[in-house]
Amino acid sequence: FTSNGTFTWDATGTIDILVVGGGGGSGHSLYHNGGGGGGQVLHATNYTLPSGNYSITVGSGGEGGNNSGSGGNNPNPSPYNNGGGDHPGYHGQPSSFGSIATAYGGGYGGTWDATKGGHGGSGGGGWENGSSGRQGGNAITSGTPSGFTRYGNDGATGQGNSQGAGGGGGAGQQGGQGSHKNGGDGVQIEIHGGTHTYAGGGGGAHYNTGNGANGGNGGAGGGGYGSGGFGQQGTDGLGGGAGGSERAQTGNGKRGGHGVVIVRYDVDQ
């Protein structure tokens, strides 16, 4: 499923289920932005599913921030909000398979001034420069449903002295920092006709003496690259986090990639 729908199950036997939340967005390009976190990944194999109709929700990627100055407050709700008085991007939206499994969206990337990366399925990366508040967000670990394995990692702390914003966490790896400000790689899952990588983190932006410089790479699994100008949007259908943007170009932050829900079963059951 790449959009909301209903899954009807009237068979016996077992099923494989993959639920990936939407990736986190990144802040407006004027300010040293961390990469968004990848969406949480929940995976179950050989799951015994009672017959019935199951509502499917596919989480959207978090929108990029549109506030071009300091302030504006942090609009993200709990449990995604990690404090700070500035307006970063938005967290990704959760995806769900009925009431059985809900995967959190990825955390937003941190932004100037002292607004840390957001919590989420994987945490967003912290902003660059400044003396405080550069921490990345944490992966949310609560509420893993029975029979599922949860994947998600923390975002990286941003660095001072123009060393780069933090990469967003990916489902398979923590975000990078400093000269290695890449988004964390996603996790490889064997489903849907082969092995695919889901929910990479966005790379952190890089700022150096007022001019744009190269940012971090996006994590494998749909994470967007960070930049000294515009970062890259996360990949839809993979739940990748957005790359962080910087002031060599001016505009709204980038959004995270939309999530996905996949089911696999033997049609001869």
Side-chain angles (χ1 to χ4, degrees):
F1 292 84
T2 56
S3 60
N4 298 345
T6 301
F7 177 69
T8 300
W9 179 246
D10 55 11
T12 58
T14 60
I15 190 171
D16 296 347
I17 304 172
L18 175 68
V19 185
V20 181
S26 60
H28 191 282
S29 68
L30 277 181
Y31 297 114
H32 321 324
N33 293 286
Q40 188 178 71
V41 174
L42 297 175
H43 184 220
T45 59
N46 298 317
Y47 188 90
T48 301
L49 183 71
S51 61
N53 296 317
Y54 295 87
S55 178
I56 305 297
T57 300
V58 175
S60 300
E63 292 296 326
N66 57 12
N67 191 49
S68 60
S70 61
N73 297 318
N74 186 341
N76 290 273
S78 177
Y80 299 95
N81 193 305
N82 196 17
D86 298 295
H87 192 301
Y90 292 86
H91 68 86
Q93 295 297 314
S95 296
S96 61
F97 184 94
S99 61
I100 292 172
T102 298
Y104 286 102
Y108 54 86
T111 195
W112 184 90
D113 171 32
T115 296
K116 297 175 281 191
H119 306 312
S122 286
W127 69 290
E128 179 183 17
N129 287 347
S131 59
S132 64
R134 299 195 306 266
Q135 293 92 336
N138 297 328
I140 298 171
T141 60
S142 61
T144 304
S146 177
F148 284 76
T149 301
R150 175 190 56 80
Y151 299 95
N153 287 279
D154 297 343
T157 297
Q159 302 297 291
N161 301 315
S162 300
Q163 294 300 303
Q173 183 186 40
Q174 186 171 337
Q177 61 184 184
S179 61
H180 303 287
K181 47 193 170 288
N182 301 329
D185 286 339
V187 62
Q188 292 186 335
I189 301 290
E190 196 278 307
I191 198 168
H192 190 48
T195 299
H196 308 278
T197 306
Y198 296 93
H206 189 97
Y207 173 79
N208 187 12
T209 62
N211 298 308
N214 292 331
N217 296 323
Y225 59 75
S227 178
F230 288 133
Q232 183 185 34
Q233 177 178 299
T235 302
D236 291 340
L238 298 178
S245 298
E246 187 45 88
R247 64 182 63 193
Q249 294 173 286
T250 302
N252 292 345
K254 298 300 180 179
R255 74 162 171 83
H258 303 326
V260 69
V261 176
I262 300 173
V263 294
R264 181 174 70 172
Y265 55 91
D266 186 346
V267 296
D268 295 326
Q269 291 186 114

